[in-house]
Amino acid sequence: MAGAQLFYVLADILTPIGCLGMVFAGSAVCMAVPIFSRSYEALLVAFALFEGLLGIYWPAIALLRVGEIADAERASTMAVFRVLLNGLVIAVLLAAGAMPEHLVYATAAAALLVCFGATRVLAKEARPTSKELSPIVAKTGLGNSGARDTLPMRRASSGEGLPADDATSRRKVGS
């Protein structure tokens, strides 16, 4: 929960893609700690930081999904990815049992660095041009519940236009 609250602080400074880049880079460092240290305190701090970074990840990825995948397609698209992810998890767990522990952490850190690189590439592609807006989220203030209301803004070239005025387009984030 602390990571999710930190996301709201970072959202004033960074885009969701920027937050994800920070999460992937920080998580790679946290995964590398067990490779270089056996200190209980260092491992505990790395684990706590990793958990905090996961708290930042979920709101950031949710905002990207809202901005990039249409409401009508989101559930089926995410279901397909969940099936693929479950297959990947099973394959990795089978392989990890035969690998030394330091190699498991090194592989996880390398995968997170690949994710960091992918966010850098996506961030460059998502920069707005004069004809097109990048996917962003506009804050509309605090609602009655105290949670921030956000309004997804789509690319102007997607045919869906800028934010709709109806109440169904509003999302509560972090409530």
mmCIF file of all heavy atoms in Angstrom, residues 18-56:
data_model
loop_
_atom_site.group_PDB
_atom_site.id
_atom_site.type_symbol
_atom_site.label_atom_id
_atom_site.label_comp_id
_atom_site.label_asym_id
_atom_site.label_seq_id
_atom_site.Cartn_x
_atom_site.Cartn_y
_atom_site.Cartn_z
ATOM 1 N N GLY A 18 7.270 6.337 -17.234
ATOM 2 C CA GLY A 18 8.438 6.715 -16.440
ATOM 3 C C GLY A 18 8.463 5.987 -15.109
ATOM 4 O O GLY A 18 9.524 5.546 -14.649
ATOM 5 N N CYS A 19 7.298 5.852 -14.483
ATOM 6 C CA CYS A 19 7.206 5.100 -13.225
ATOM 7 C C CYS A 19 7.583 3.644 -13.436
ATOM 8 O O CYS A 19 8.292 3.055 -12.619
ATOM 9 C CB CYS A 19 5.796 5.195 -12.651
ATOM 10 S SG CYS A 19 5.377 6.790 -11.952
ATOM 11 N N LEU A 20 7.120 3.061 -14.542
ATOM 12 C CA LEU A 20 7.457 1.664 -14.820
ATOM 13 C C LEU A 20 8.951 1.486 -15.060
ATOM 14 O O LEU A 20 9.535 0.493 -14.616
ATOM 15 C CB LEU A 20 6.676 1.156 -16.022
ATOM 16 C CG LEU A 20 5.196 0.887 -15.785
ATOM 17 C CD1 LEU A 20 4.513 0.477 -17.072
ATOM 18 C CD2 LEU A 20 5.001 -0.161 -14.715
ATOM 19 N N GLY A 21 9.567 2.439 -15.739
ATOM 20 C CA GLY A 21 11.011 2.361 -15.933
ATOM 21 C C GLY A 21 11.747 2.356 -14.608
ATOM 22 O O GLY A 21 12.675 1.566 -14.390
ATOM 23 N N MET A 22 11.305 3.231 -13.701
ATOM 24 C CA MET A 22 11.905 3.285 -12.376
ATOM 25 C C MET A 22 11.673 1.967 -11.628
ATOM 26 O O MET A 22 12.573 1.447 -10.967
ATOM 27 C CB MET A 22 11.317 4.451 -11.588
ATOM 28 C CG MET A 22 11.898 4.591 -10.206
ATOM 29 S SD MET A 22 10.962 5.726 -9.179
ATOM 30 C CE MET A 22 9.459 4.827 -8.969
ATOM 31 N N VAL A 23 10.463 1.419 -11.741
ATOM 32 C CA VAL A 23 10.134 0.153 -11.068
ATOM 33 C C VAL A 23 11.020 -0.975 -11.586
ATOM 34 O O VAL A 23 11.582 -1.745 -10.803
ATOM 35 C CB VAL A 23 8.642 -0.188 -11.257
ATOM 36 C CG1 VAL A 23 8.344 -1.635 -10.899
ATOM 37 C CG2 VAL A 23 7.779 0.748 -10.436
ATOM 38 N N PHE A 24 11.169 -1.080 -12.908
ATOM 39 C CA PHE A 24 11.965 -2.177 -13.467
ATOM 40 C C PHE A 24 13.442 -2.043 -13.123
ATOM 41 O O PHE A 24 14.094 -3.035 -12.780
ATOM 42 C CB PHE A 24 11.770 -2.271 -14.977
ATOM 43 C CG PHE A 24 10.377 -2.695 -15.375
ATOM 44 C CD1 PHE A 24 9.739 -2.086 -16.434
ATOM 45 C CD2 PHE A 24 9.713 -3.697 -14.696
ATOM 46 C CE1 PHE A 24 8.460 -2.471 -16.818
ATOM 47 C CE2 PHE A 24 8.438 -4.093 -15.055
ATOM 48 C CZ PHE A 24 7.812 -3.477 -16.120
ATOM 49 N N ALA A 25 13.974 -0.836 -13.182
ATOM 50 C CA ALA A 25 15.386 -0.640 -12.833
ATOM 51 C C ALA A 25 15.619 -0.931 -11.354
ATOM 52 O O ALA A 25 16.574 -1.635 -10.986
ATOM 53 C CB ALA A 25 15.819 0.781 -13.183
ATOM 54 N N GLY A 26 14.756 -0.400 -10.499
ATOM 55 C CA GLY A 26 14.892 -0.642 -9.060
ATOM 56 C C GLY A 26 14.714 -2.097 -8.702
ATOM 57 O O GLY A 26 15.430 -2.642 -7.844
ATOM 58 N N SER A 27 13.771 -2.768 -9.364
ATOM 59 C CA SER A 27 13.546 -4.190 -9.095
ATOM 60 C C SER A 27 14.732 -5.034 -9.536
ATOM 61 O O SER A 27 15.076 -6.018 -8.876
ATOM 62 C CB SER A 27 12.278 -4.663 -9.807
ATOM 63 O OG SER A 27 11.150 -4.009 -9.274
ATOM 64 N N ALA A 28 15.376 -4.647 -10.634
ATOM 65 C CA ALA A 28 16.577 -5.369 -11.076
ATOM 66 C C ALA A 28 17.681 -5.262 -10.032
ATOM 67 O O ALA A 28 18.374 -6.253 -9.739
ATOM 68 C CB ALA A 28 17.052 -4.830 -12.425
ATOM 69 N N VAL A 29 17.841 -4.083 -9.461
ATOM 70 C CA VAL A 29 18.839 -3.902 -8.400
ATOM 71 C C VAL A 29 18.485 -4.768 -7.193
ATOM 72 O O VAL A 29 19.351 -5.435 -6.614
ATOM 73 C CB VAL A 29 18.963 -2.407 -8.011
ATOM 74 C CG1 VAL A 29 19.812 -2.232 -6.768
ATOM 75 C CG2 VAL A 29 19.523 -1.605 -9.173
ATOM 76 N N CYS A 30 17.198 -4.769 -6.811
ATOM 77 C CA CYS A 30 16.768 -5.582 -5.667
ATOM 78 C C CYS A 30 17.002 -7.065 -5.916
ATOM 79 O O CYS A 30 17.391 -7.797 -5.001
ATOM 80 C CB CYS A 30 15.290 -5.330 -5.369
ATOM 81 S SG CYS A 30 14.943 -3.689 -4.722
ATOM 82 N N MET A 31 16.777 -7.529 -7.136
ATOM 83 C CA MET A 31 17.006 -8.937 -7.462
ATOM 84 C C MET A 31 18.492 -9.280 -7.515
ATOM 85 O O MET A 31 18.860 -10.443 -7.368
ATOM 86 C CB MET A 31 16.359 -9.293 -8.808
ATOM 87 C CG MET A 31 14.877 -9.429 -8.760
ATOM 88 S SD MET A 31 14.397 -10.873 -7.809
ATOM 89 C CE MET A 31 13.067 -10.187 -6.879
ATOM 90 N N ALA A 32 19.330 -8.287 -7.731
ATOM 91 C CA ALA A 32 20.770 -8.533 -7.781
ATOM 92 C C ALA A 32 21.394 -8.615 -6.386
ATOM 93 O O ALA A 32 22.482 -9.179 -6.235
ATOM 94 C CB ALA A 32 21.457 -7.446 -8.599
ATOM 95 N N VAL A 33 20.724 -8.090 -5.388
ATOM 96 C CA VAL A 33 21.290 -8.091 -4.032
ATOM 97 C C VAL A 33 21.615 -9.506 -3.551
ATOM 98 O O VAL A 33 22.706 -9.733 -3.019
ATOM 99 C CB VAL A 33 20.367 -7.333 -3.047
ATOM 100 C CG1 VAL A 33 20.784 -7.556 -1.604
ATOM 101 C CG2 VAL A 33 20.352 -5.850 -3.375
ATOM 102 N N PRO A 34 20.725 -10.507 -3.700
ATOM 103 C CA PRO A 34 21.078 -11.854 -3.224
ATOM 104 C C PRO A 34 22.267 -12.483 -3.954
ATOM 105 O O PRO A 34 22.869 -13.428 -3.452
ATOM 106 C CB PRO A 34 19.807 -12.678 -3.480
ATOM 107 C CG PRO A 34 18.716 -11.693 -3.599
ATOM 108 C CD PRO A 34 19.326 -10.450 -4.135
ATOM 109 N N ILE A 35 22.602 -11.971 -5.130
ATOM 110 C CA ILE A 35 23.753 -12.505 -5.860
ATOM 111 C C ILE A 35 25.051 -12.097 -5.178
ATOM 112 O O ILE A 35 26.004 -12.859 -5.105
ATOM 113 C CB ILE A 35 23.748 -11.991 -7.321
ATOM 114 C CG1 ILE A 35 22.493 -12.468 -8.033
ATOM 115 C CG2 ILE A 35 24.992 -12.434 -8.069
ATOM 116 C CD1 ILE A 35 22.259 -11.808 -9.371
ATOM 117 N N PHE A 36 25.076 -10.864 -4.644
ATOM 118 C CA PHE A 36 26.301 -10.287 -4.103
ATOM 119 C C PHE A 36 26.379 -10.278 -2.587
ATOM 120 O O PHE A 36 27.440 -10.022 -2.032
ATOM 121 C CB PHE A 36 26.472 -8.858 -4.620
ATOM 122 C CG PHE A 36 26.499 -8.786 -6.114
ATOM 123 C CD1 PHE A 36 25.446 -8.233 -6.813
ATOM 124 C CD2 PHE A 36 27.563 -9.308 -6.840
ATOM 125 C CE1 PHE A 36 25.455 -8.170 -8.205
ATOM 126 C CE2 PHE A 36 27.589 -9.261 -8.223
ATOM 127 C CZ PHE A 36 26.532 -8.687 -8.900
ATOM 128 N N SER A 37 25.263 -10.523 -1.905
ATOM 129 C CA SER A 37 25.275 -10.420 -0.448
ATOM 130 C C SER A 37 24.474 -11.560 0.175
ATOM 131 O O SER A 37 23.442 -11.967 -0.355
ATOM 132 C CB SER A 37 24.672 -9.075 -0.022
ATOM 133 O OG SER A 37 24.558 -9.019 1.375
ATOM 134 N N ARG A 38 24.968 -12.035 1.306
ATOM 135 C CA ARG A 38 24.237 -13.021 2.109
ATOM 136 C C ARG A 38 23.795 -12.401 3.426
ATOM 137 O O ARG A 38 23.264 -13.086 4.292
ATOM 138 C CB ARG A 38 25.110 -14.239 2.389
ATOM 139 C CG ARG A 38 25.429 -15.031 1.157
ATOM 140 C CD ARG A 38 24.207 -15.769 0.692
ATOM 141 N NE ARG A 38 24.518 -16.480 -0.549
ATOM 142 C CZ ARG A 38 23.629 -16.688 -1.479
ATOM 143 N NH1 ARG A 38 22.406 -16.267 -1.342
ATOM 144 N NH2 ARG A 38 23.960 -17.339 -2.564
ATOM 145 N N SER A 39 23.977 -11.093 3.562
ATOM 146 C CA SER A 39 23.599 -10.396 4.783
ATOM 147 C C SER A 39 22.085 -10.383 4.939
ATOM 148 O O SER A 39 21.348 -9.997 4.017
ATOM 149 C CB SER A 39 24.119 -8.951 4.734
ATOM 150 O OG SER A 39 23.482 -8.154 5.712
ATOM 151 N N TYR A 40 21.625 -10.796 6.108
ATOM 152 C CA TYR A 40 20.189 -10.816 6.383
ATOM 153 C C TYR A 40 19.577 -9.431 6.227
ATOM 154 O O TYR A 40 18.515 -9.274 5.627
ATOM 155 C CB TYR A 40 19.942 -11.353 7.803
ATOM 156 C CG TYR A 40 18.497 -11.261 8.224
ATOM 157 C CD1 TYR A 40 17.573 -12.194 7.756
ATOM 158 C CD2 TYR A 40 18.059 -10.257 9.070
ATOM 159 C CE1 TYR A 40 16.247 -12.117 8.136
ATOM 160 C CE2 TYR A 40 16.734 -10.169 9.453
ATOM 161 C CZ TYR A 40 15.835 -11.103 8.976
ATOM 162 O OH TYR A 40 14.523 -11.020 9.340
ATOM 163 N N GLU A 41 20.253 -8.415 6.742
ATOM 164 C CA GLU A 41 19.729 -7.047 6.691
ATOM 165 C C GLU A 41 19.633 -6.546 5.245
ATOM 166 O O GLU A 41 18.642 -5.926 4.858
ATOM 167 C CB GLU A 41 20.594 -6.097 7.529
ATOM 168 C CG GLU A 41 20.523 -6.334 9.023
ATOM 169 C CD GLU A 41 21.400 -7.487 9.499
ATOM 170 O OE1 GLU A 41 22.259 -7.980 8.711
ATOM 171 O OE2 GLU A 41 21.212 -7.916 10.651
ATOM 172 N N ALA A 42 20.642 -6.827 4.440
ATOM 173 C CA ALA A 42 20.631 -6.390 3.039
ATOM 174 C C ALA A 42 19.512 -7.085 2.267
ATOM 175 O O ALA A 42 18.813 -6.449 1.471
ATOM 176 C CB ALA A 42 21.977 -6.670 2.383
ATOM 177 N N LEU A 43 19.330 -8.382 2.517
ATOM 178 C CA LEU A 43 18.270 -9.115 1.844
ATOM 179 C C LEU A 43 16.888 -8.617 2.271
ATOM 180 O O LEU A 43 15.977 -8.494 1.446
ATOM 181 C CB LEU A 43 18.396 -10.609 2.110
ATOM 182 C CG LEU A 43 19.639 -11.285 1.548
ATOM 183 C CD1 LEU A 43 19.709 -12.746 1.990
ATOM 184 C CD2 LEU A 43 19.679 -11.184 0.043
ATOM 185 N N LEU A 44 16.738 -8.300 3.545
ATOM 186 C CA LEU A 44 15.461 -7.790 4.049
ATOM 187 C C LEU A 44 15.129 -6.435 3.435
ATOM 188 O O LEU A 44 13.995 -6.201 3.003
ATOM 189 C CB LEU A 44 15.496 -7.697 5.577
ATOM 190 C CG LEU A 44 14.201 -7.242 6.251
ATOM 191 C CD1 LEU A 44 13.083 -8.250 5.983
ATOM 192 C CD2 LEU A 44 14.419 -7.062 7.737
ATOM 193 N N VAL A 45 16.095 -5.548 3.359
ATOM 194 C CA VAL A 45 15.874 -4.223 2.760
ATOM 195 C C VAL A 45 15.558 -4.371 1.272
ATOM 196 O O VAL A 45 14.646 -3.716 0.752
ATOM 197 C CB VAL A 45 17.108 -3.312 2.990
ATOM 198 C CG1 VAL A 45 17.035 -2.057 2.144
ATOM 199 C CG2 VAL A 45 17.221 -2.954 4.466
ATOM 200 N N ALA A 46 16.285 -5.246 0.573
ATOM 201 C CA ALA A 46 16.025 -5.459 -0.854
ATOM 202 C C ALA A 46 14.617 -6.006 -1.067
ATOM 203 O O ALA A 46 13.905 -5.570 -1.982
ATOM 204 C CB ALA A 46 17.060 -6.409 -1.449
ATOM 205 N N PHE A 47 14.195 -6.942 -0.219
ATOM 206 C CA PHE A 47 12.848 -7.493 -0.332
ATOM 207 C C PHE A 47 11.799 -6.420 -0.073
ATOM 208 O O PHE A 47 10.804 -6.322 -0.812
ATOM 209 C CB PHE A 47 12.670 -8.656 0.652
ATOM 210 C CG PHE A 47 11.259 -9.167 0.714
ATOM 211 C CD1 PHE A 47 10.756 -9.955 -0.309
ATOM 212 C CD2 PHE A 47 10.440 -8.852 1.782
ATOM 213 C CE1 PHE A 47 9.457 -10.418 -0.264
ATOM 214 C CE2 PHE A 47 9.138 -9.316 1.833
ATOM 215 C CZ PHE A 47 8.644 -10.102 0.810
ATOM 216 N N ALA A 48 11.989 -5.608 0.955
ATOM 217 C CA ALA A 48 11.024 -4.545 1.268
ATOM 218 C C ALA A 48 10.946 -3.518 0.139
ATOM 219 O O ALA A 48 9.851 -3.068 -0.231
ATOM 220 C CB ALA A 48 11.397 -3.863 2.588
ATOM 221 N N LEU A 49 12.092 -3.151 -0.418
ATOM 222 C CA LEU A 49 12.090 -2.210 -1.545
ATOM 223 C C LEU A 49 11.396 -2.819 -2.767
ATOM 224 O O LEU A 49 10.641 -2.134 -3.465
ATOM 225 C CB LEU A 49 13.519 -1.803 -1.902
ATOM 226 C CG LEU A 49 14.197 -0.855 -0.914
ATOM 227 C CD1 LEU A 49 15.655 -0.647 -1.313
ATOM 228 C CD2 LEU A 49 13.464 0.465 -0.844
ATOM 229 N N PHE A 50 11.651 -4.101 -3.019
ATOM 230 C CA PHE A 50 10.995 -4.772 -4.137
ATOM 231 C C PHE A 50 9.480 -4.760 -3.960
ATOM 232 O O PHE A 50 8.732 -4.477 -4.900
ATOM 233 C CB PHE A 50 11.522 -6.207 -4.260
ATOM 234 C CG PHE A 50 10.906 -6.978 -5.382
ATOM 235 C CD1 PHE A 50 11.281 -6.712 -6.696
ATOM 236 C CD2 PHE A 50 9.966 -7.960 -5.143
ATOM 237 C CE1 PHE A 50 10.715 -7.417 -7.754
ATOM 238 C CE2 PHE A 50 9.401 -8.667 -6.193
ATOM 239 C CZ PHE A 50 9.768 -8.396 -7.493
ATOM 240 N N GLU A 51 8.999 -5.036 -2.769
ATOM 241 C CA GLU A 51 7.565 -5.011 -2.503
ATOM 242 C C GLU A 51 6.987 -3.606 -2.688
ATOM 243 O O GLU A 51 5.887 -3.437 -3.211
ATOM 244 C CB GLU A 51 7.265 -5.527 -1.096
ATOM 245 C CG GLU A 51 7.461 -7.009 -0.948
ATOM 246 C CD GLU A 51 6.479 -7.824 -1.785
ATOM 247 O OE1 GLU A 51 5.303 -7.436 -1.890
ATOM 248 O OE2 GLU A 51 6.904 -8.845 -2.343
ATOM 249 N N GLY A 52 7.725 -2.588 -2.257
ATOM 250 C CA GLY A 52 7.281 -1.213 -2.472
ATOM 251 C C GLY A 52 7.207 -0.867 -3.959
ATOM 252 O O GLY A 52 6.274 -0.185 -4.405
ATOM 253 N N LEU A 53 8.166 -1.340 -4.717
ATOM 254 C CA LEU A 53 8.162 -1.102 -6.166
ATOM 255 C C LEU A 53 6.995 -1.816 -6.840
ATOM 256 O O LEU A 53 6.421 -1.293 -7.804
ATOM 257 C CB LEU A 53 9.491 -1.535 -6.779
ATOM 258 C CG LEU A 53 10.683 -0.634 -6.406
ATOM 259 C CD1 LEU A 53 11.990 -1.293 -6.779
ATOM 260 C CD2 LEU A 53 10.546 0.730 -7.059
ATOM 261 N N LEU A 54 6.613 -2.980 -6.331
ATOM 262 C CA LEU A 54 5.425 -3.656 -6.865
ATOM 263 C C LEU A 54 4.169 -2.820 -6.613
ATOM 264 O O LEU A 54 3.256 -2.807 -7.440
ATOM 265 C CB LEU A 54 5.252 -5.040 -6.235
ATOM 266 C CG LEU A 54 6.177 -6.123 -6.726
ATOM 267 C CD1 LEU A 54 5.908 -7.419 -5.988
ATOM 268 C CD2 LEU A 54 6.056 -6.323 -8.214
ATOM 269 N N GLY A 55 4.142 -2.125 -5.488
ATOM 270 C CA GLY A 55 3.017 -1.236 -5.201
ATOM 271 C C GLY A 55 2.924 -0.082 -6.178
ATOM 272 O O GLY A 55 1.840 0.422 -6.458
ATOM 273 N N ILE A 56 4.039 0.351 -6.714
ATOM 274 C CA ILE A 56 4.046 1.401 -7.742
ATOM 275 C C ILE A 56 3.649 0.814 -9.089
ATOM 276 O O ILE A 56 2.976 1.461 -9.896
ATOM 277 C CB ILE A 56 5.432 2.072 -7.826
ATOM 278 C CG1 ILE A 56 5.759 2.776 -6.507
ATOM 279 C CG2 ILE A 56 5.503 3.050 -8.985
ATOM 280 C CD1 ILE A 56 7.186 3.263 -6.421
#
